Structure formats: C-alpha cells, structure tokens
Amino acid sequence: GAQNARNAPYFTYRHIVSFEETNLVGNVYFTRHLSWQGRCREMFLKSHAPTILDELTHDLRLVTLRVSCEYFEELTAFDEIDVQMSLAYLRQHRIGLDFNTFKLQPGGRVCIARGFQQIGCMRATAQGLVPHRPPEPLAEALKPYAVRL
Ligand code: SSV
C-alpha cells in the first residue's frame, strides 16, 4: 500500500527472490526485474482499482508502450526486495510509472535497480484500438501517487 512518513506516494510490492528466478551463475536474470514491475502494477490495480480488472475483460486495454530498467547491483535467491512504484505523469491517455527496487538488508535498504514504464490507455472498437483517458476509478487511484511535480 501507500506508505512513508509524509503519507508517501509509493505503492510497494514485496518479494523474496526464488531459485527459479536466478540463472546458472546464481544471480537474478535481468528479465525478472521487468516481471516484478509488471507484478507491482497489477497488484496496484487489484488493491486500488479492482473495477479496472473487470473492464480489461471488456473493451479497456492498458497497452505497454515503453519499458526500461537500470541495474545497479545483483540479487540472489532469498534476497528480500521492495519494488516501489510511483506515478511519473498522467498525460492524456498515457501513464508514466517510475520504479525503484530496493534490497532489504539488516542495515537498511539499498536501491539495486530503477525502471520506467509508459502505458497507453485504449479502448477496443470496431475500428481498432483508440486512445482513451483513463477511467475515473483509475485516475482517482493514481492521484495520491504523483510524486514528480
Ligand atoms: C493484461 C493487461 O493488459 C494488464 C495491464 C496492466 C496495467 C497496469 C497498470 C497499472 C498502473 C498502476 C499505476 C500505479 C501508480 C502508482
């Protein structure tokens, strides 16, 4: 949920790294970070805008337009992480999301990766996908998470 002292505008997905997410050398394969970004955003929908999940089974489409990740440190099995997400912007039908992934350690947390996604909100029509402003429940749910102002 949203957390931190000043009513923090972050949504956090906590995770413990599994053996199945590591490669031959024992560290986490780079694509896992994108999966965790995806997991974080879908858990946000489930907990903050569940009606959007129903709409996705109808004509709403949330199209991933852009994804990036910068890697600072490796992870290995049983590392505990927080994927922290905030709203970078909401422009017309486009939603920008910032991600910071922290490794949780006894001495504190370390930022080990940073990412970004751009999602396009669309409607499926007979003419194909057309851009559409985010439905009100989603727009409302996003509001508290806008940090880049
Ligand atoms: C199946 C499918 O198309 C799923 C798309 C999921 C998109 C999720 C978007 C979530 C946005 C959350 C924004 C949160 C900002 C704090």
Side-chain angles (χ1 to χ4, degrees), residues 11 41-42 44-45 56 62 85-87 97 119 138 142 145:
F11 178 83
R41 71 185 199 177
E42 74 193 35
F44 174 85
L45 291 186
L56 286 172
L62 294 174
M85 178 176 68
S86 61
L87 180 69
L97 300 175
I119 297 168
L138 179 56
L142 291 175
Y145 295 90

Side-chain angles (χ1 to χ4, degrees), residues 35-60:
S35 301
W36 298 331
Q37 288 180 14
R39 196 77 204 286
C40 184
R41 71 185 199 177
E42 74 193 35
M43 291 311 288
F44 174 85
L45 291 186
K46 180 156 172 59
S47 57
H48 288 70
T51 60
I52 297 301
L53 297 175
D54 299 325
E55 288 205 54
L56 286 172
T57 69
H58 296 101
D59 62 341
L60 180 66

